[in-house]
Amino acid sequence: MPPKLLSYSDVGSPVHRLNGVTKLIAFLLFSIAGMVSYDTRCLLVMLVISLSVFYISKVPFKQYSFVLYLILIFSALNQLAIFLFSPEQGVQIYGTRHELLHIAGRYSLTSEQLFYQFNVLLKFAVVVPPALLFLLATEPSEFASSLNRVGVSYKVAYAISLTMRYIPDVQQEYVNISTAAQARGIDLSKKEKLGRRVKNMAAILLPLVLATLERIEKVSAALELRGFGRKRKRTWYRSRPLTKRDTLVIAGAVLISAAVLVITFWDGSRFYNPFV
Amino acid sequence: MQSSKGFSVKTVVAIGIGAALFVVLARFGSIPTGIPNTNLQTNYAILALFALLYGPWAGLLIGLIGHTVADLISFGPWFSWIIASGVFGLLAGLFSRGIRIHDGEFGGKEILRFNIAQIIANAAAWFIVAPVLDILIYAEPANKVFTQGLAAGAMNMVTVAILGTLIAIAYSKTRTKRGSLTREA
Amino acid sequence: MKKPVIEFDQFTFQYRAQSEPTLRDINLTIHEGEKVLIVGPSGSGKSTLAHCINGLAPHFYPGEHSGVLKIMGADSKGMGIAELSDFIGTVMQDPDGQFVGLTVAEDIAFKLENDGVPHAEMIRRVQEAAAEVEFSDFLDASPQELSGGQKQKTTLAGGLVGGAPILLFDEPLASLDPHAGRATVELIDRLHRESGRTIMIVEHRLEEVLHCPVDRIIVIEEGRIVADLPPDELLCSGLLREKGIREPLHLSAMRYAGCAVTPEIGPRSVESVDLEGCTEQLIRWHEANLASPKSDVKQPLLELEGITFGYDPAKPVLQDVSLSVGRGEILCIAGRNGAGKSTISRLICGFHKPSSGSIRLNGRDLSRDTIRERADVIGFVMQNPNHMLSKPLLYDEVALGLVNRGVPEAEIRDRVNETLRVCGLYPFRSWPVSALSYGQKKRATIASILVLRPEILILDEPTAGQDFRHYNEMMKFLMELNSQGMTLILITHDMHLMLEYGQRTVVLAEGRKLADDTPARILGNAQVVEEAHLHETSLHILARRIGVQPEDEFVSRFIRSDRRMMN
């Protein structure tokens, strides 16, 4: 059995009770603010907020432990790559140089570089909790109606709903096809030479693609038969009216992001510079 | 595929299920090359194929939705590359427009066009869009992101050229008309 | 006379991609509140007829028509699929393709959402529709948690929710086990009686549908209506056999015994058919047929001993299962979904390792053999041939396993050609696989395994979704392989298949072996039948009604005569 995808489960926290629209807006605003800002103070505040909301949500650790592990590896590799490629990036950005330790050749550790890389990590860390929360504490059914409500065309919104619906089925199909292929001696592991491995992959992808195209035909017919796309607007079974709590959270998210942007660009630079 | 009321039902379904396939392949369908952390991403071959079959808008959305979901269930969203995936799907679809693969037409000329389209799309997405956005959003070092973009783009070009072309040819053969075949003794 | 709701008048339909019309000169009127069954072999045009009614043809599958088709009195020409869906709720065969919602409630609501029905009304109508199919407790379930039958219930509720006066079922039984199939037939019947909706069922599994009464049966062959009769008359006309549709087994038994089968005795249902005039004949026939010879004990080829396995050790999928397969035997493995049938085949093929127990072939322990090594002796054929076909051309497909094993080219050519001849596919060797028919594709997948010269073939539902003619062709082919010495393990819940071809059946329930006996005795055991999601056959009921003991002996004798009559 392949590892299960991250899955929604209702633990009934205040975060779970929020409307999908609210969570989507908060997630988007935080993501944008987190992307634009390089102001350490803002990012730190945002991270604290993110983490406390995550704490309130009571999402069980084992639901995201695997993801967390991947995130750590990815971040570590990325940090290493940045340093290897450009050990003086921080010096360039902040305009000063405080060397802490010379390593070898052009590599030395500077406070600027450390601070810069800390910020890169921070930027990513700020976005991860809301993203995970949006995924783990929002009923997948609410994704589509929420997106439609914030202005995405209902057809695109429904396509996303179909993605969530058919990921497990396509995954099962992939497992079935590759199992049958392995039984005939089609090996994808490192035991085979690269060229053969690519060829073998094609032998699995072809039936998978053809089965997917067939599925697209069937599902389209089913959608047509139940009148999908006949009107300019559609309603959603899983939509809920916004409550007072939702309005408050949205207002809060707007205010925080606006504040972040204002503070960040107050001095004309998106970087907060502690060295001058 | 776009009517006055927006996407046709089939395009909507192709976007949804195409993105699901993209996600599954992102997770299970990468081929290790032997170089650490460098895998052939088969899902881009599929994205190019779907862009060819269902058009540039489908390509754009499969790239955006597929990459976002795949990122969310692995290591969190990395926005610059998500956008680059969308751009790849869009351009691959745009430049391979007019290839009538549904009618079984996919000979030498079409193969060449498909590959020119995917090379332009890969170059634009990974040599330009992804690194430039990395610099704009994350202020990452230019030499690092361009190196990463070059590596990813080159790998994807190879993957699409081999797997994308192979599968497109195989698909076009499934569209052969029955009347053209005779039994042999 | 009741008001007509569907009227075909000299209706002819031709798909754009076809050179010939698929439906010709159809004249057919269906009245309000009727329940009509449409039968015909694959390719007869019966599905096209359904597609013309719900608008998939010509709006989804392009084509041209002549003549007139009126739905609810209006010409269908001016209506799109969406407008037609206000009158006709459709249930198709593939449960996953139709279940488009993330939960049961959303899937039922789908049509209402598209029609822009306000939220409060939508909730109410979804609850009503769910209650109508008795599925209210599952509104929040996701499709991954449901069985095929439960998914179909959802789709049915989704067809009811829009208030359509006509319900159209396109091969509703094709992907269900016998138990779920029977439940569907009963549910359709209840909806018909309680709501007075017009019901059309397109299906080739006649006996299962006739479990409940229908008003008329329409037989389609080569695009034309060849019969339009009440069920009892049609069953007596002998037309079904002629058209390659299997008649109910109890009826065949009565014919073999020389009973006069007339509409007056009500032959539709084995429970209610009047047997007064033929009990004696049936008993005489039973006694005249020789007792079945005891099948000789076969030397064991594959032995499973004390197999326990679970993906999660706390929840074993298989618990202490032992079974053995004799050389040259045909063994069926039955059981409801999730009973562990497919897990057993995966363990045999080596995809998983059992947590305890051993698997032996010819007395040799297989636990150290890799997947590929086992594949040389044990072939596994999946249900859906499209999942196994990975090369564009037939020859390459069959050669693939050998190429991967590095067999010299000249030997590959000989072995592939020989296998293609055995499978009757030699004339098609340079064809693209996609040009083959479904049955041929299925054979191609078997060929691609046979070429490796295994000692055992495991086939998952080898005849699923095929009509009687294709079913017979496939089984005749498998019997030929068996007579040449191939051992077969068939994973199936097709009761006819089990009865007619299985020498032994093993039934799994909740990961344990529940029964291991002849198929006729298994299907006569009420508790086993229930656990395995099968149901009692009409032959067992017939035997009981005429008082023959043991019932399974009657069944076995019937099967033997039937086999003689067919060949």
PDB file of all heavy atoms in Angstrom, chain A residues 33 36-46 49 255-273:
ATOM      1  N   ALA A  33       1.624  38.058   1.516  1.00  0.00           N
ATOM      2  CA  ALA A  33       2.421  38.893   2.408  1.00  0.00           C
ATOM      3  C   ALA A  33       3.774  38.234   2.689  1.00  0.00           C
ATOM      4  O   ALA A  33       4.823  38.877   2.662  1.00  0.00           O
ATOM      5  CB  ALA A  33       1.662  39.134   3.715  1.00  0.00           C
ATOM      6  N   VAL A  36       6.045  38.594  -0.387  1.00  0.00           N
ATOM      7  CA  VAL A  36       6.539  39.939  -0.688  1.00  0.00           C
ATOM      8  C   VAL A  36       7.534  40.410   0.383  1.00  0.00           C
ATOM      9  O   VAL A  36       8.596  40.927   0.065  1.00  0.00           O
ATOM     10  CB  VAL A  36       5.357  40.922  -0.796  1.00  0.00           C
ATOM     11  CG1 VAL A  36       5.867  42.351  -0.930  1.00  0.00           C
ATOM     12  CG2 VAL A  36       4.466  40.538  -1.975  1.00  0.00           C
ATOM     13  N   SER A  37       7.182  40.190   1.622  1.00  0.00           N
ATOM     14  CA  SER A  37       7.968  40.780   2.692  1.00  0.00           C
ATOM     15  C   SER A  37       9.285  40.044   2.929  1.00  0.00           C
ATOM     16  O   SER A  37       9.361  38.825   2.819  1.00  0.00           O
ATOM     17  CB  SER A  37       7.162  40.780   3.987  1.00  0.00           C
ATOM     18  OG  SER A  37       7.990  41.234   5.032  1.00  0.00           O
ATOM     19  N   TYR A  38      10.322  40.837   3.222  1.00  0.00           N
ATOM     20  CA  TYR A  38      11.582  40.250   3.680  1.00  0.00           C
ATOM     21  C   TYR A  38      11.947  40.890   5.017  1.00  0.00           C
ATOM     22  O   TYR A  38      13.096  40.890   5.431  1.00  0.00           O
ATOM     23  CB  TYR A  38      12.695  40.474   2.646  1.00  0.00           C
ATOM     24  CG  TYR A  38      13.313  39.180   2.176  1.00  0.00           C
ATOM     25  CD1 TYR A  38      13.016  38.668   0.926  1.00  0.00           C
ATOM     26  CD2 TYR A  38      14.173  38.468   3.001  1.00  0.00           C
ATOM     27  CE1 TYR A  38      13.560  37.485   0.494  1.00  0.00           C
ATOM     28  CE2 TYR A  38      14.718  37.275   2.584  1.00  0.00           C
ATOM     29  CZ  TYR A  38      14.419  36.786   1.339  1.00  0.00           C
ATOM     30  OH  TYR A  38      14.947  35.597   0.927  1.00  0.00           O
ATOM     31  N   ASP A  39      10.896  41.441   5.643  1.00  0.00           N
ATOM     32  CA  ASP A  39      11.134  42.133   6.901  1.00  0.00           C
ATOM     33  C   ASP A  39      11.086  41.127   8.041  1.00  0.00           C
ATOM     34  O   ASP A  39      10.040  40.560   8.341  1.00  0.00           O
ATOM     35  CB  ASP A  39      10.064  43.218   7.094  1.00  0.00           C
ATOM     36  CG  ASP A  39      10.385  44.109   8.271  1.00  0.00           C
ATOM     37  OD1 ASP A  39      10.685  43.563   9.350  1.00  0.00           O
ATOM     38  OD2 ASP A  39      10.342  45.335   8.100  1.00  0.00           O
ATOM     39  N   THR A  40      12.233  40.919   8.652  1.00  0.00           N
ATOM     40  CA  THR A  40      12.362  39.860   9.650  1.00  0.00           C
ATOM     41  C   THR A  40      11.340  40.003  10.773  1.00  0.00           C
ATOM     42  O   THR A  40      10.752  39.025  11.214  1.00  0.00           O
ATOM     43  CB  THR A  40      13.775  39.887  10.251  1.00  0.00           C
ATOM     44  OG1 THR A  40      14.681  40.131   9.192  1.00  0.00           O
ATOM     45  CG2 THR A  40      14.108  38.578  10.914  1.00  0.00           C
ATOM     46  N   ARG A  41      11.128  41.268  11.223  1.00  0.00           N
ATOM     47  CA  ARG A  41      10.201  41.474  12.333  1.00  0.00           C
ATOM     48  C   ARG A  41       8.807  41.013  11.937  1.00  0.00           C
ATOM     49  O   ARG A  41       8.137  40.269  12.663  1.00  0.00           O
ATOM     50  CB  ARG A  41      10.168  42.960  12.715  1.00  0.00           C
ATOM     51  CG  ARG A  41      11.513  43.492  13.168  1.00  0.00           C
ATOM     52  CD  ARG A  41      11.590  44.997  13.066  1.00  0.00           C
ATOM     53  NE  ARG A  41      11.298  45.469  11.703  1.00  0.00           N
ATOM     54  CZ  ARG A  41      11.309  46.740  11.334  1.00  0.00           C
ATOM     55  NH1 ARG A  41      11.571  47.672  12.211  1.00  0.00           N
ATOM     56  NH2 ARG A  41      11.045  47.082  10.088  1.00  0.00           N
ATOM     57  N   CYS A  42       8.374  41.428  10.730  1.00  0.00           N
ATOM     58  CA  CYS A  42       7.041  41.033  10.260  1.00  0.00           C
ATOM     59  C   CYS A  42       6.936  39.522  10.133  1.00  0.00           C
ATOM     60  O   CYS A  42       5.963  38.914  10.558  1.00  0.00           O
ATOM     61  CB  CYS A  42       6.752  41.656   8.905  1.00  0.00           C
ATOM     62  SG  CYS A  42       6.617  43.421   8.956  1.00  0.00           S
ATOM     63  N   LEU A  43       7.974  38.938   9.536  1.00  0.00           N
ATOM     64  CA  LEU A  43       7.926  37.498   9.307  1.00  0.00           C
ATOM     65  C   LEU A  43       7.845  36.747  10.632  1.00  0.00           C
ATOM     66  O   LEU A  43       7.107  35.772  10.759  1.00  0.00           O
ATOM     67  CB  LEU A  43       9.155  37.045   8.513  1.00  0.00           C
ATOM     68  CG  LEU A  43       9.174  37.495   7.040  1.00  0.00           C
ATOM     69  CD1 LEU A  43      10.503  37.143   6.383  1.00  0.00           C
ATOM     70  CD2 LEU A  43       8.028  36.889   6.255  1.00  0.00           C
ATOM     71  N   LEU A  44       8.582  37.238  11.617  1.00  0.00           N
ATOM     72  CA  LEU A  44       8.563  36.575  12.925  1.00  0.00           C
ATOM     73  C   LEU A  44       7.169  36.641  13.548  1.00  0.00           C
ATOM     74  O   LEU A  44       6.656  35.648  14.049  1.00  0.00           O
ATOM     75  CB  LEU A  44       9.590  37.206  13.853  1.00  0.00           C
ATOM     76  CG  LEU A  44      11.012  36.631  13.735  1.00  0.00           C
ATOM     77  CD1 LEU A  44      11.984  37.448  14.594  1.00  0.00           C
ATOM     78  CD2 LEU A  44      11.031  35.163  14.147  1.00  0.00           C
ATOM     79  N   VAL A  45       6.579  37.839  13.472  1.00  0.00           N
ATOM     80  CA  VAL A  45       5.222  37.987  14.021  1.00  0.00           C
ATOM     81  C   VAL A  45       4.262  37.052  13.296  1.00  0.00           C
ATOM     82  O   VAL A  45       3.442  36.350  13.904  1.00  0.00           O
ATOM     83  CB  VAL A  45       4.751  39.456  13.898  1.00  0.00           C
ATOM     84  CG1 VAL A  45       3.283  39.571  14.296  1.00  0.00           C
ATOM     85  CG2 VAL A  45       5.616  40.360  14.758  1.00  0.00           C
ATOM     86  N   MET A  46       4.380  37.019  11.962  1.00  0.00           N
ATOM     87  CA  MET A  46       3.488  36.159  11.187  1.00  0.00           C
ATOM     88  C   MET A  46       3.683  34.702  11.557  1.00  0.00           C
ATOM     89  O   MET A  46       2.727  33.927  11.634  1.00  0.00           O
ATOM     90  CB  MET A  46       3.740  36.352   9.688  1.00  0.00           C
ATOM     91  CG  MET A  46       3.099  37.617   9.134  1.00  0.00           C
ATOM     92  SD  MET A  46       3.617  37.939   7.441  1.00  0.00           S
ATOM     93  CE  MET A  46       2.729  36.668   6.584  1.00  0.00           C
ATOM     94  N   ILE A  49       1.951  33.980  14.749  1.00  0.00           N
ATOM     95  CA  ILE A  49       0.503  33.866  14.531  1.00  0.00           C
ATOM     96  C   ILE A  49       0.175  32.523  13.868  1.00  0.00           C
ATOM     97  O   ILE A  49      -0.705  31.784  14.322  1.00  0.00           O
ATOM     98  CB  ILE A  49      -0.009  35.031  13.651  1.00  0.00           C
ATOM     99  CG1 ILE A  49       0.223  36.369  14.371  1.00  0.00           C
ATOM    100  CG2 ILE A  49      -1.487  34.850  13.327  1.00  0.00           C
ATOM    101  CD1 ILE A  49      -0.079  37.581  13.538  1.00  0.00           C
ATOM    102  N   LEU A 255      -6.003  43.060   7.851  1.00  0.00           N
ATOM    103  CA  LEU A 255      -5.254  44.058   8.617  1.00  0.00           C
ATOM    104  C   LEU A 255      -3.794  43.658   8.786  1.00  0.00           C
ATOM    105  O   LEU A 255      -2.882  44.453   8.562  1.00  0.00           O
ATOM    106  CB  LEU A 255      -5.895  44.244  10.001  1.00  0.00           C
ATOM    107  CG  LEU A 255      -7.090  45.189  10.027  1.00  0.00           C
ATOM    108  CD1 LEU A 255      -7.724  45.226  11.415  1.00  0.00           C
ATOM    109  CD2 LEU A 255      -6.636  46.600   9.610  1.00  0.00           C
ATOM    110  N   ILE A 256      -3.587  42.396   9.167  1.00  0.00           N
ATOM    111  CA  ILE A 256      -2.210  41.931   9.393  1.00  0.00           C
ATOM    112  C   ILE A 256      -1.394  42.038   8.111  1.00  0.00           C
ATOM    113  O   ILE A 256      -0.287  42.576   8.107  1.00  0.00           O
ATOM    114  CB  ILE A 256      -2.205  40.484   9.918  1.00  0.00           C
ATOM    115  CG1 ILE A 256      -2.837  40.443  11.307  1.00  0.00           C
ATOM    116  CG2 ILE A 256      -0.777  39.930   9.980  1.00  0.00           C
ATOM    117  CD1 ILE A 256      -3.127  39.045  11.795  1.00  0.00           C
ATOM    118  N   SER A 257      -1.978  41.556   7.003  1.00  0.00           N
ATOM    119  CA  SER A 257      -1.198  41.597   5.765  1.00  0.00           C
ATOM    120  C   SER A 257      -0.933  43.034   5.344  1.00  0.00           C
ATOM    121  O   SER A 257       0.165  43.350   4.867  1.00  0.00           O
ATOM    122  CB  SER A 257      -1.896  40.872   4.618  1.00  0.00           C
ATOM    123  OG  SER A 257      -2.888  40.035   5.082  1.00  0.00           O
ATOM    124  N   ALA A 258      -1.936  43.896   5.500  1.00  0.00           N
ATOM    125  CA  ALA A 258      -1.724  45.297   5.134  1.00  0.00           C
ATOM    126  C   ALA A 258      -0.609  45.887   5.991  1.00  0.00           C
ATOM    127  O   ALA A 258       0.304  46.541   5.473  1.00  0.00           O
ATOM    128  CB  ALA A 258      -3.029  46.076   5.311  1.00  0.00           C
ATOM    129  N   ALA A 259      -0.678  45.596   7.293  1.00  0.00           N
ATOM    130  CA  ALA A 259       0.346  46.114   8.202  1.00  0.00           C
ATOM    131  C   ALA A 259       1.727  45.615   7.791  1.00  0.00           C
ATOM    132  O   ALA A 259       2.701  46.369   7.754  1.00  0.00           O
ATOM    133  CB  ALA A 259       0.025  45.691   9.632  1.00  0.00           C
ATOM    134  N   VAL A 260       1.788  44.312   7.443  1.00  0.00           N
ATOM    135  CA  VAL A 260       3.062  43.728   7.041  1.00  0.00           C
ATOM    136  C   VAL A 260       3.623  44.479   5.834  1.00  0.00           C
ATOM    137  O   VAL A 260       4.798  44.851   5.801  1.00  0.00           O
ATOM    138  CB  VAL A 260       2.883  42.228   6.721  1.00  0.00           C
ATOM    139  CG1 VAL A 260       4.076  41.694   5.942  1.00  0.00           C
ATOM    140  CG2 VAL A 260       2.686  41.442   8.008  1.00  0.00           C
ATOM    141  N   LEU A 261       2.765  44.727   4.863  1.00  0.00           N
ATOM    142  CA  LEU A 261       3.247  45.391   3.651  1.00  0.00           C
ATOM    143  C   LEU A 261       3.702  46.815   3.959  1.00  0.00           C
ATOM    144  O   LEU A 261       4.745  47.275   3.485  1.00  0.00           O
ATOM    145  CB  LEU A 261       2.157  45.397   2.577  1.00  0.00           C
ATOM    146  CG  LEU A 261       1.778  43.999   2.070  1.00  0.00           C
ATOM    147  CD1 LEU A 261       0.776  44.089   0.930  1.00  0.00           C
ATOM    148  CD2 LEU A 261       3.009  43.224   1.624  1.00  0.00           C
ATOM    149  N   VAL A 262       2.905  47.509   4.766  1.00  0.00           N
ATOM    150  CA  VAL A 262       3.248  48.899   5.079  1.00  0.00           C
ATOM    151  C   VAL A 262       4.582  48.953   5.826  1.00  0.00           C
ATOM    152  O   VAL A 262       5.492  49.695   5.458  1.00  0.00           O
ATOM    153  CB  VAL A 262       2.125  49.556   5.916  1.00  0.00           C
ATOM    154  CG1 VAL A 262       2.593  50.912   6.458  1.00  0.00           C
ATOM    155  CG2 VAL A 262       0.872  49.718   5.063  1.00  0.00           C
ATOM    156  N   ILE A 263       4.705  48.140   6.880  1.00  0.00           N
ATOM    157  CA  ILE A 263       5.939  48.154   7.684  1.00  0.00           C
ATOM    158  C   ILE A 263       7.143  47.768   6.819  1.00  0.00           C
ATOM    159  O   ILE A 263       8.201  48.381   6.882  1.00  0.00           O
ATOM    160  CB  ILE A 263       5.808  47.203   8.893  1.00  0.00           C
ATOM    161  CG1 ILE A 263       4.711  47.710   9.820  1.00  0.00           C
ATOM    162  CG2 ILE A 263       7.143  47.088   9.640  1.00  0.00           C
ATOM    163  CD1 ILE A 263       4.330  46.732  10.907  1.00  0.00           C
ATOM    164  N   THR A 264       6.927  46.732   5.970  1.00  0.00           N
ATOM    165  CA  THR A 264       8.037  46.264   5.147  1.00  0.00           C
ATOM    166  C   THR A 264       8.575  47.370   4.254  1.00  0.00           C
ATOM    167  O   THR A 264       9.779  47.589   4.153  1.00  0.00           O
ATOM    168  CB  THR A 264       7.567  45.092   4.269  1.00  0.00           C
ATOM    169  OG1 THR A 264       7.097  44.058   5.114  1.00  0.00           O
ATOM    170  CG2 THR A 264       8.702  44.570   3.407  1.00  0.00           C
ATOM    171  N   PHE A 265       7.659  48.074   3.593  1.00  0.00           N
ATOM    172  CA  PHE A 265       8.111  49.043   2.593  1.00  0.00           C
ATOM    173  C   PHE A 265       8.246  50.464   3.146  1.00  0.00           C
ATOM    174  O   PHE A 265       8.461  51.402   2.405  1.00  0.00           O
ATOM    175  CB  PHE A 265       7.174  49.019   1.379  1.00  0.00           C
ATOM    176  CG  PHE A 265       7.328  47.751   0.584  1.00  0.00           C
ATOM    177  CD1 PHE A 265       6.371  46.755   0.609  1.00  0.00           C
ATOM    178  CD2 PHE A 265       8.481  47.555  -0.183  1.00  0.00           C
ATOM    179  CE1 PHE A 265       6.535  45.584  -0.112  1.00  0.00           C
ATOM    180  CE2 PHE A 265       8.643  46.391  -0.902  1.00  0.00           C
ATOM    181  CZ  PHE A 265       7.671  45.402  -0.870  1.00  0.00           C
ATOM    182  N   TRP A 266       8.086  50.624   4.448  1.00  0.00           N
ATOM    183  CA  TRP A 266       8.132  51.947   5.066  1.00  0.00           C
ATOM    184  C   TRP A 266       9.428  52.667   4.716  1.00  0.00           C
ATOM    185  O   TRP A 266       9.435  53.838   4.368  1.00  0.00           O
ATOM    186  CB  TRP A 266       8.019  51.787   6.596  1.00  0.00           C
ATOM    187  CG  TRP A 266       7.728  53.071   7.297  1.00  0.00           C
ATOM    188  CD1 TRP A 266       8.589  53.798   8.066  1.00  0.00           C
ATOM    189  CD2 TRP A 266       6.484  53.759   7.270  1.00  0.00           C
ATOM    190  NE1 TRP A 266       7.961  54.907   8.522  1.00  0.00           N
ATOM    191  CE2 TRP A 266       6.673  54.928   8.055  1.00  0.00           C
ATOM    192  CE3 TRP A 266       5.250  53.552   6.669  1.00  0.00           C
ATOM    193  CZ2 TRP A 266       5.645  55.865   8.253  1.00  0.00           C
ATOM    194  CZ3 TRP A 266       4.237  54.469   6.867  1.00  0.00           C
ATOM    195  CH2 TRP A 266       4.438  55.616   7.645  1.00  0.00           C
ATOM    196  N   ASP A 267      10.533  51.927   4.772  1.00  0.00           N
ATOM    197  CA  ASP A 267      11.819  52.571   4.512  1.00  0.00           C
ATOM    198  C   ASP A 267      12.252  52.395   3.062  1.00  0.00           C
ATOM    199  O   ASP A 267      13.403  52.600   2.711  1.00  0.00           O
ATOM    200  CB  ASP A 267      12.879  52.023   5.467  1.00  0.00           C
ATOM    201  CG  ASP A 267      12.977  50.507   5.377  1.00  0.00           C
ATOM    202  OD1 ASP A 267      12.230  49.920   4.564  1.00  0.00           O
ATOM    203  OD2 ASP A 267      13.775  49.913   6.112  1.00  0.00           O
ATOM    204  N   GLY A 268      11.345  51.930   2.181  1.00  0.00           N
ATOM    205  CA  GLY A 268      11.674  51.839   0.763  1.00  0.00           C
ATOM    206  C   GLY A 268      12.387  50.570   0.368  1.00  0.00           C
ATOM    207  O   GLY A 268      12.647  50.341  -0.803  1.00  0.00           O
ATOM    208  N   SER A 269      12.722  49.711   1.324  1.00  0.00           N
ATOM    209  CA  SER A 269      13.356  48.438   0.969  1.00  0.00           C
ATOM    210  C   SER A 269      12.554  47.316   1.594  1.00  0.00           C
ATOM    211  O   SER A 269      12.003  47.470   2.682  1.00  0.00           O
ATOM    212  CB  SER A 269      14.796  48.415   1.496  1.00  0.00           C
ATOM    213  OG  SER A 269      15.212  47.074   1.680  1.00  0.00           O
ATOM    214  N   ARG A 270      12.506  46.152   0.891  1.00  0.00           N
ATOM    215  CA  ARG A 270      11.726  45.070   1.475  1.00  0.00           C
ATOM    216  C   ARG A 270      12.528  44.315   2.542  1.00  0.00           C
ATOM    217  O   ARG A 270      12.001  43.459   3.214  1.00  0.00           O
ATOM    218  CB  ARG A 270      11.206  44.125   0.391  1.00  0.00           C
ATOM    219  CG  ARG A 270      12.299  43.336  -0.310  1.00  0.00           C
ATOM    220  CD  ARG A 270      11.765  42.732  -1.584  1.00  0.00           C
ATOM    221  NE  ARG A 270      11.005  41.522  -1.373  1.00  0.00           N
ATOM    222  CZ  ARG A 270      11.199  40.407  -2.072  1.00  0.00           C
ATOM    223  NH1 ARG A 270      12.113  40.348  -3.004  1.00  0.00           N
ATOM    224  NH2 ARG A 270      10.448  39.363  -1.856  1.00  0.00           N
ATOM    225  N   PHE A 271      13.808  44.661   2.676  1.00  0.00           N
ATOM    226  CA  PHE A 271      14.634  43.967   3.670  1.00  0.00           C
ATOM    227  C   PHE A 271      14.704  44.764   4.962  1.00  0.00           C
ATOM    228  O   PHE A 271      14.791  45.987   4.949  1.00  0.00           O
ATOM    229  CB  PHE A 271      16.059  43.782   3.135  1.00  0.00           C
ATOM    230  CG  PHE A 271      16.116  42.924   1.923  1.00  0.00           C
ATOM    231  CD1 PHE A 271      16.145  43.490   0.650  1.00  0.00           C
ATOM    232  CD2 PHE A 271      16.117  41.544   2.043  1.00  0.00           C
ATOM    233  CE1 PHE A 271      16.186  42.697  -0.463  1.00  0.00           C
ATOM    234  CE2 PHE A 271      16.154  40.751   0.911  1.00  0.00           C
ATOM    235  CZ  PHE A 271      16.190  41.322  -0.346  1.00  0.00           C
ATOM    236  N   TYR A 272      14.651  44.056   6.063  1.00  0.00           N
ATOM    237  CA  TYR A 272      14.925  44.702   7.346  1.00  0.00           C
ATOM    238  C   TYR A 272      16.414  44.545   7.609  1.00  0.00           C
ATOM    239  O   TYR A 272      16.956  43.449   7.545  1.00  0.00           O
ATOM    240  CB  TYR A 272      14.113  44.031   8.451  1.00  0.00           C
ATOM    241  CG  TYR A 272      14.576  44.391   9.833  1.00  0.00           C
ATOM    242  CD1 TYR A 272      14.351  45.681  10.323  1.00  0.00           C
ATOM    243  CD2 TYR A 272      15.238  43.469  10.625  1.00  0.00           C
ATOM    244  CE1 TYR A 272      14.785  46.033  11.579  1.00  0.00           C
ATOM    245  CE2 TYR A 272      15.680  43.820  11.891  1.00  0.00           C
ATOM    246  CZ  TYR A 272      15.452  45.099  12.367  1.00  0.00           C
ATOM    247  OH  TYR A 272      15.893  45.446  13.621  1.00  0.00           O
ATOM    248  N   ASN A 273      17.079  45.636   7.823  1.00  0.00           N
ATOM    249  CA  ASN A 273      18.526  45.571   7.928  1.00  0.00           C
ATOM    250  C   ASN A 273      18.996  45.908   9.337  1.00  0.00           C
ATOM    251  O   ASN A 273      19.004  47.073   9.734  1.00  0.00           O
ATOM    252  CB  ASN A 273      19.159  46.527   6.917  1.00  0.00           C
ATOM    253  CG  ASN A 273      20.636  46.248   6.755  1.00  0.00           C
ATOM    254  OD1 ASN A 273      21.261  45.632   7.618  1.00  0.00           O
ATOM    255  ND2 ASN A 273      21.191  46.717   5.656  1.00  0.00           N
TER     256      ASN A 273
END
